[in-house]
Amino acid sequence: MTTLSSTLDLPVEGMTCAACAARIEKQLNKLEGVSANVNFASEKVHVAFDAAAASPEQIVETIRKAGYGVPQQTLEFALQGMSCAACATRIEKQLNKLPGVEAVVNFASEKAHVRFTPGLSDAAQLIAAVARAGYQAQLSTTDTRAEERQRKLAHYRAELQRFWISAALTLPLVAQMAVMFGGGGGNDAHQELLPRWLQLALATPVQWWIGWRFYSGAWNSLRGGAGNMDVLVALGTGMAWLYSAVVTLVGLQHQHVYFEASATVITLVLLGKILEARAKARTSAALEALIRLQPQTARVERDGQLVELAVAAMLPGDIFVVRPGEAVPVDGAVIEGVSSLNEAMLTGESMPVTKQPGDKLFAATVNGEALLRCRATGIGSHTLLAGIIRMVEQAQGSKAPVQRLADKVSAIFVPVVGAIALLTFVGWWGLTGEFTQALVNAVAVLVIACPCALGLATPTAIMVGTGQGAKAGILVKDAEALEIAEKILVLAVDKTGTLTQGKPLVTDIAPGDGVSADELLQVAAALEQGATHPLATAILARASETNSAPLPVQNLRAEPGKGLRGDVNGAVCLLGSPAFLAAEGLVVDSAALLPLQQAGKSIVAVARAGHVLGIIAVADPLRGTTRAAVARLNALGVEVVMLTGDNPQTAAAIAREAGITRYQAEVLPGDKAQAIASLKAEAAKRGGRVGMAGDGINDAPALAAADVGFAMGAGSDVAMETAGVTLMRDDLNSVADAIDLSRATLAKIRQNLFFAFIYNVLGIPLAALGMLNPVIAGAAMAMSSVSVVSNSLLLKRWQAKKS
């Protein structure tokens, strides 16, 4: 009999009835060595299984094949102990060994973003995996951010204190070296200013107290089965110190000592790490600024009284008050009051936005001149600000495809450098017979090699780039979308809501002879009462501006696909297309009609008692910035293609007005994805990618089909979920800004990778050839990663262009 020694408890999604539970149970029990029990009420399955016959992955896959899902969970961990990219690669490898785990480790932010299947793995197992790799991990949430900042600050201060102690102990050794070189550089030991016992006394604390972090890190790394930067520094400086200590203690006065080299290298590397930490902290400054925007308290109505409550204690539906100059505490809707709000921190738009009863307002935006009474609609993690923070964190924690090469190099970097150092030592000793020269050159090889610059090249640029984007209202879902956006050659755009305002308006009123514009509008509004289609909404809105009471209508009936017929003040009235009136024997004046039709406007004709009263033109006007945005995209080398369901005549008019030379008319919502596929095939021949900008639910398939989707900020949640980039402003200029940001970020990444590779490609051979002193090598290594991070920080100069 099979022993079912292992158990699993898995959540299941997609069950709608008990039959679903029975189906899953039946499929699982077909597996050899598996006994399953599905609880429909709790939406969980308990599985006992023989680990020799079935695996957890096989069980999860069986549930999915049955048509149901095992939902994944995402956690973020703050990591400690990493010293270079090889550490990040090692942790990532260990985490991804666990069943159902997908992990990405960001060396720059010292975070691990982990997706896992509950039941197959949990937080404790993930932390244990990091510990096995030789590092420490703690769960990172919004509640632990302050604690993490304090811990990093305390660590930074401790490192700074150790650096100053190290510098004080190293300075006499460096001064002696400078005097020796300045005085003719003799190789005679008698020219040493400091007795060797004093040099040993100064160098030993630097090596074994200040530098203990390198030995500890090296041990943890090697214990985990890999090498990192700590191994190189510990090995290089340790060899120099050990050799010098033996020479001193044995009394070999004719031999050189290298206490100044070992101490100086450790001091310089420590300085480099401190400067790197300061620079890295600045890369996430934009995210920290977003987090700080959230107000901590709110003025909430309780039992008719205003009380000050912590934002965390608020509930949906709470009534709260925002005084002039205060920040809005949560997302809500205005109940009373009219004021203007500054939304620049969320959208990048500097102009205040007027808010009145019924309008939405968002957490962290700043109220202007008047008091507002509001109802809470989104609190905590359900505010727009929280969603922006999540997207920025997600993007900063993701890995760009361009980073893969650096990861591969980092994984083998330390063993390769170790082998080169060994060959250098053996080669120099064998060819010259000089042990000390061979040792010095091997130490230089170990010390100058730096995988840190490789590991920081991509993530630091991504962090700064996505942070700058967030400040400009450009939210990037992941690093891959940012990288692909650089290659966009074709941008497909939906017309309604993207190029246009998305709200039809009455643009022209052309009354017939002896008829006033108000009279024409009154009759049209009477017939359109109660209708909800866009043309009716536009006519009723325009009529409401005249402040005249609506005329009564009787016997109103619709003529499907044609128009409306009804009695207004006892006269039979008609409203519809010019063709509808023509069928009734009424001819619309072509002199007024043709120019409006050629402009692509929708025409509503009105007649009363057998006479044409006139025509009303309705159009969805272009946004004021659309034409300039199209011109800007063209200047960036991006061809704009309009996709619209309108007829060719209307589409041509809109395209002409927007400055678009290529368009596709009569494209149904379901056909947009196919249109995108055709554009992708065409762009691929030129080595480019296709983007899609849209805002509606019917744009979601096309946004998903494009290489990069851009969801306009006022659009649907579905569109934003599908798109790779969400734009907080309803302005096509934001797409141009996003492409410009992508190109600036990728340029910085390439500069960083070039510098990191060329530094190691040139530095290691020079050290192996004996052309670099270990102290110079140590200084170069310390500054290489600082230079990469500093170059990434230059992205802070990027600004969205004002439209």
Side-chain angles (χ1 to χ4, degrees), residues 38-39 103 120 129 200 224 369 372 434 469 579 673:
V38 180
N39 187 324
L120 298 186
L200 176 61
E369 67 282 352
L372 292 174
E434 294 185 18

Side-chain angles (χ1 to χ4, degrees), residues 702-722:
L703 289 169
D707 293 308
V708 182
F710 298 89
M712 307 297 277
S716 70
D717 291 341
V718 176
M720 293 185 190
E721 187 66 29
T722 309

Side-chain angles (χ1 to χ4, degrees), residues 377-393:
T377 57
I379 61 171
S381 61
H382 299 289
T383 64
L384 178 63
L385 176 63
I388 291 173
I389 291 170
R390 276 196 303 274
M391 283 195 74
V392 175
E393 285 181 325

